[in-house]
Amino acid sequence: MVAELKYEISQNAYIKLVLHALKHKTTAVNGVLLGRVNPQNESVVEIIDSVPLFHSNLALLPPLEISLIMIEEHYGSKGLGIVGYFHANERFDDAELGIVAKNIGDHFCRYFPQAAVFLLDNKKLEALPKGKDQSPVMQLYIRDASKNWKLAGPDGGSRLVIKEPAANVVLSDYISSEKWQDVVDFDDHLDDIKMDWLNPELFK
């Protein structure tokens, strides 16, 4: 049952998406989650990497299709596929999952029925430097039996976990050092193909 699924995201995949959103604070941004179902435990979806997609015209299909082909080609050779979608809204106070996010999430569910949508929680992100919360600064949305996107219930926090417990400490350090300036997304790559959307240097 999809309802029992747990999503475990690696520290680097998690941090990369949040830094991407911080780089483009005044616009909506999105990204994809790469991973697989855990071979030892089918109730866990492992999110091993992420790719920042766009910070402008999120709903434009041609750039999205181009990016997905390139992403699937690269990660498919590693045995990974697209297992979810990340979205950050344009407005700080907007905590709703919008139509663009739902449509892209629906598209991913056609190929990976357990796909989830992670929505950036700006209030949790803002509180990050002040607190010691180890939970992700994201909200988990999953599709119900009627194929509608729903915020995971009271147990949502336990169903989306970061693999490394100290990830928020590392994220806070990166925010302090303005590491978000180094993130490259597909918009950047399509403007200048020398910019690498895989971000190989980001965590070195």
Side-chain angles (χ1 to χ4, degrees):
M1 285 288 292
V2 172
E4 302 304 316
L5 278 177
K6 187 172 170 180
Y7 297 84
E8 182 184 76
I9 186 167
S10 74
Q11 176 173 294
N12 285 0
Y14 167 70
I15 289 176
K16 201 188 301 180
L17 293 171
V18 180
L19 291 179
H20 179 223
L22 286 168
K23 183 175 181 179
H24 304 285
K25 274 186 176 178
T26 56
T27 62
V29 306
N30 61 2
V32 292
L33 312 168
L34 287 306
R36 63 187 178 191
V37 173
N38 183 315
Q40 278 81 45
N41 183 352
E42 289 189 356
S43 66
V44 175
V45 176
E46 297 178 312
I47 298 154
I48 292 160
D49 205 351
S50 64
V51 175
L53 285 177
F54 303 107
H55 59 269
S56 63
N57 300 318
L58 269 55
L60 275 184
L61 272 179
L64 180 63
E65 287 170 350
I66 291 166
S67 66
L68 294 181
I69 289 167
M70 291 172 70
I71 290 166
E72 284 165 348
E73 228 169 63
H74 176 83
Y75 285 95
S77 64
K78 299 170 180 281
L80 303 178
I82 294 173
V83 297
Y85 172 74
F86 170 78
H87 191 91
N89 287 325
E90 180 177 351
R91 291 200 337 269
F92 179 87
D93 60 351
D94 184 359
E96 295 293 314
L97 193 67
I99 190 73
V100 171
K102 289 175 181 174
N103 287 346
I104 297 175
D106 286 341
H107 175 74
F108 291 162
C109 279
R110 280 185 218 146
Y111 304 97
F112 186 76
Q114 309 97 313
V117 172
F118 295 177
L119 181 68
L120 184 71
D121 186 329
N122 279 312
K123 290 199 170 75
K124 279 183 91 169
L125 179 58
E126 188 181 44
L128 195 65
K130 309 177 195 93
K132 297 198 165 33
D133 191 353
Q134 293 185 350
S135 64
V137 294
M138 298 172 183
Q139 296 175 345
L140 170 65
Y141 282 80
I142 46 180
R143 284 212 308 188
D144 62 17
S146 308
K147 298 190 174 177
N148 295 314
W149 288 99
K150 299 286 184 193
L151 181 62
D155 64 337
S158 62
R159 291 177 57 193
L160 170 57
V161 296
I162 311 171
K163 192 171 183 184
E164 297 85 351
N168 278 343
V169 176
V170 178
L171 174 58
S172 292
D173 287 345
Y174 281 150
I175 293 170
S176 301
S177 62
E178 300 189 354
K179 184 81 171 166
W180 39 264
Q181 294 188 51
D182 301 332
V183 178
V184 173
D185 65 11
F186 253 94
D187 264 334
D188 300 322
H189 175 74
L190 293 173
D191 285 341
D192 179 358
I193 58 167
K194 292 195 291 295
M195 299 188 79
D196 193 342
W197 54 270
L198 286 166
N199 289 282
E201 304 299 315
L202 190 61
F203 299 113
K204 287 188 178 170

